[in-house]
Amino acid sequence: VDDDATVNMETGIGSTYDHYMIMVKSVVGVTDGQDLDIRLEVGGDVYLEADYRYRVLTHSSAGSGFNDNVSDSDDKIRYVMAGLGANASEGGDGVFWFNDPTNASKFHMIHWNAVYTAPAIFSVIGAGGYTGGTGALTGVQFLMNSGNLESGTFTLYGLSKG
């Protein structure tokens, strides 16, 4: 990533594996305090902008309790990493999973665990998906809610059955 508006993970998603994992390392936004979000490409429709549902629990080292972000209808999966810092020392790391992307008869979901600093340390557990229709999942898009992605590494892995 180098000052990009989006990171589109498409190459390698298909029927070769049943399970996929995306590792995100040291992601930082250009603008301080913005959120990393996700959109999905389902059924050949390029990065849909409606009909997402999600629940994201975030815990901060600076306080007690959880911040619970929930939506039953949104234009993307929000708050994947909320209020992400813009300095290299405040980068976020995460692991994102999705399954059975070529199954065209189900709603597709993604779930994740992440940590980041901004400047407190935050831990995140989240899940979300697209419920506006079915079709094969052919892409996962990462984007900031405002501004570009400054830097970071996004790596897709296919996981085989044991």
Side-chain angles (χ1 to χ4, degrees), residues 30-86:
V30 170
T31 307
D32 194 42
Q34 300 305 308
D35 306 333
L36 181 67
D37 300 327
I38 292 175
R39 285 192 175 126
L40 303 177
E41 184 177 82
V42 176
D45 293 321
V46 179
Y47 299 111
L48 300 149
E49 296 184 9
D51 299 315
Y52 290 97
R53 296 172 186 235
Y54 57 83
R55 180 165 213 148
V56 182
L57 297 172
T58 305
H59 185 263
S60 168
S61 65
S64 61
F66 285 89
N67 185 12
D68 189 6
N69 291 294
V70 180
S71 180
D72 225 9
S73 178
D74 213 325
D75 65 339
K76 56 190 165 187
I77 300 169
R78 296 181 184 271
Y79 312 112
V80 172
M81 293 183 202
L84 194 60

Side-chain angles (χ1 to χ4, degrees), residues 91-145:
D93 302 319
V95 182
F96 299 79
W97 296 274
F98 59 94
N99 301 305
D100 201 13
T102 58
N103 185 337
S105 62
K106 72 172 206 169
F107 295 134
H108 288 283
M109 299 162 281
I110 190 165
H111 59 100
W112 67 95
N113 295 330
V115 295
Y116 63 98
T117 56
I121 296 172
F122 293 87
S123 63
V124 182
I125 300 170
Y130 173 73
T131 58
T134 59
L137 174 64
T138 54
V140 178
Q141 181 183 72
F142 293 88
L143 66 159
M144 301 303 288
N145 68 312

Side-chain angles (χ1 to χ4, degrees), residues 3-14:
D3 197 12
D4 295 317
T6 64
V7 172
N8 299 331
M9 305 298 293
E10 299 166 349
T11 303
I13 297 174

